[in-house]
Amino acid sequence: MAPASYTFAAGAEGAWRILDIRPSIGEGLAAASALDIRSGLVEAAPVEVWTLRGVVSNLRYTTAAEAAELDLKQPPLGRPEATRAALLPIRKSPAWWALAQDERRAVYEERSRHTSIGLDYLPRVARRLHHCRDLGEPFDFLTWFEFAPEHEAAFDELLARLRASEEWRYVEREVDIRLRRA
Amino acid sequence: MAPASYTFAAGAEGAWRILDIRPSIGEGLAAASALDIRSGLVEAAPVEVWTLRGVVSNLRYTTAAEAAELDLKQPPLGRPEATRAALLPIRKSPAWWALAQDERRAVYEERSRHTSIGLDYLPRVARRLHHCRDLGEPFDFLTWFEFAPEHEAAFDELLARLRASEEWRYVEREVDIRLRRA
């Protein structure tokens, strides 16, 4: 009954071709040509340029009402038309992690509208969130997004709205990786 | 800035002598004479009888008001008079993990009074919670408690109250390990 986990290995081979690796906040990640997504927490092979790992854990802020709305609207990964993708590794600050649960929830949704903003872009953008802070990884979250090429502008707008929110003041590292299906 | 992590290794040697390993719900754990608590997520050595690992992560349900009250009242680990300890590895059911955040909070505190019950036993019982579900461990939580021998009856009462709560209907495995400082 362990939660599903995934390893994102950047190197020469993989099902996704890396188009761009852009440091958004803080240090970026090394250039690589392809990304391979593997099931499980796999150790980095020497041939990989970088490897990031995360776990699809339980909901941390989402209420039952929000979860029901998301379940109705959010598409699955792997849609044939969704040939573009983005991987956004993010690390939040110690100040964020020192907040109590109700304080983080208030910033996340009541003041930053994280879930509400995301809902505006469904079903155009499919998404899977991976947690990795407790694994001792360099990032706290890895979010994987898939969309059709004509919806990349909408995806950019989604990111711009989130990055302008109070929640993003707590982001101390963010890398924006864009990909297309190989 | 990675969260602190600990490895609990049961075997022949360690700073704590194991007095009893009692299966409370579901399968127990093998008998061993001592417990060694190591810093970090250490791999199990072949000499160990069993090894459990966990991370001291961020607060998951505690509000800022509750955290302030806990900070005022909770004692540190390692008090000289606290020569008794308990380790309680717990795994919750898939039904628990499928609940949204507000639903789990409502069971945890509004209906089961988990934090409120715990506060009744402060400063007699010191406590450190470790999360391990996302690590792929056999348990979801390891809670380590320290108290003076004369407070063991109070600690038993604390456990009895929690075990009678609605939250405990979601516990599918619990082992109750009692120890004394070696």
Side-chain angles (χ1 to χ4, degrees):
Chain A
M1 298 311 301
S5 57
Y6 295 91
T7 299
F8 297 83
E13 310 261 323
W16 294 88
R17 181 167 181 79
I18 297 176
L19 302 175
D20 190 27
I21 299 182
R22 207 178 310 162
S24 173
I25 299 173
E27 195 191 346
L29 283 165
S33 56
L35 184 74
D36 192 33
I37 307 177
R38 300 169 196 167
S39 193
L41 301 177
V42 183
E43 289 303 314
V47 73
E48 261 47 275
V49 175
W50 46 260
T51 304
L52 299 172
R53 312 181 310 158
V55 178
V56 179
S57 191
N58 58 289
L59 298 173
R60 303 292 168 93
Y61 302 107
T62 313
T63 64
E66 290 162 353
E69 192 173 359
L70 285 166
D71 281 349
L72 273 178
K73 293 186 182 168
Q74 65 195 351
L77 296 182
R79 291 171 296 173
E81 70 275 21
T83 57
R84 294 297 173 98
L87 176 65
L88 271 91
I90 281 179
R91 188 176 67 228
K92 284 180 169 170
S93 65
W96 172 263
W97 294 112
L99 294 176
Q101 178 67 28
D102 58 337
E103 295 172 316
R104 276 180 279 105
R105 162 73 197 188
V107 174
Y108 179 89
E109 188 58 26
E110 275 66 55
R111 302 213 292 275
S112 300
R113 317 302 303 170
H114 190 130
T115 298
S116 308
I117 290 172
L119 280 164
D120 288 345
Y121 300 89
L122 298 184
R124 288 170 290 177
V125 177
R127 167 187 173 277
R128 189 172 67 205
L129 174 64
H130 314 75
H131 293 261
C132 35
R133 179 170 183 256
D134 287 354
L135 305 182
E137 289 280 308
F139 294 94
D140 296 335
F141 309 100
L142 310 172
T143 316
W144 174 256
F145 302 91
E146 291 179 7
F147 41 82
E150 63 267 31
H151 294 142
E152 187 144 16
F155 177 72
D156 286 332
E157 183 188 281
L158 160 62
L159 287 189
R161 289 175 66 190
L162 288 174
R163 286 170 179 159
S165 72
E166 179 181 340
E167 185 191 352
W168 246 251
R169 294 184 210 159
Y170 295 93
V171 174
E172 61 175 30
R173 189 176 179 197
E174 178 186 22
V175 185
D176 186 340
I177 303 162
R178 301 298 174 99
L179 315 94
R180 68 173 167 77
R181 210 184 283 278
Chain B
M1 298 309 302
S5 57
Y6 295 91
T7 299
F8 296 83
E13 311 259 324
W16 293 88
R17 181 166 181 78
I18 296 176
L19 303 175
D20 189 26
I21 299 181
R22 207 177 312 163
S24 172
I25 301 173
E27 195 191 348
L29 282 165
S33 56
L35 185 74
D36 192 34
I37 307 176
R38 300 169 194 167
S39 193
L41 300 178
V42 182
E43 288 304 313
V47 73
E48 262 46 275
V49 176
W50 46 259
T51 304
L52 299 172
R53 312 181 309 157
V55 177
V56 180
S57 190
N58 57 290
L59 298 173
R60 302 292 167 92
Y61 302 107
T62 314
T63 64
E66 290 161 353
E69 192 172 359
L70 286 165
D71 281 349
L72 273 178
K73 294 186 181 167
Q74 65 194 353
L77 296 182
R79 292 170 298 172
E81 70 275 20
T83 57
R84 294 297 174 100
L87 176 65
L88 271 91
I90 281 179
R91 188 176 67 228
K92 284 182 170 169
S93 65
W96 172 263
W97 293 113
L99 294 176
Q101 178 67 26
D102 57 338
E103 295 171 316
R104 276 181 278 107
R105 162 73 196 188
V107 175
Y108 178 89
E109 188 59 25
E110 275 66 57
R111 302 214 292 273
S112 300
R113 318 303 301 170
H114 190 130
T115 298
S116 308
I117 290 173
L119 280 164
D120 288 344
Y121 300 88
L122 298 184
R124 290 171 288 177
V125 177
R127 169 186 171 277
R128 189 172 66 206
L129 174 64
H130 313 76
H131 293 260
C132 35
R133 181 170 183 256
D134 287 355
L135 305 182
E137 289 279 309
F139 294 94
D140 296 335
F141 309 99
L142 309 172
T143 316
W144 174 255
F145 302 91
E146 290 179 6
F147 40 82
E150 64 267 31
H151 293 141
E152 187 144 17
F155 177 71
D156 286 332
E157 183 187 282
L158 159 62
L159 287 190
R161 290 175 67 190
L162 288 173
R163 286 171 180 158
S165 73
E166 180 181 341
E167 185 192 353
W168 245 252
R169 295 185 211 160
Y170 295 94
V171 175
E172 61 174 31
R173 189 176 177 195
E174 179 186 22
V175 185
D176 186 339
I177 303 162
R178 300 298 174 99
L179 315 94
R180 69 172 167 77
R181 210 183 285 279

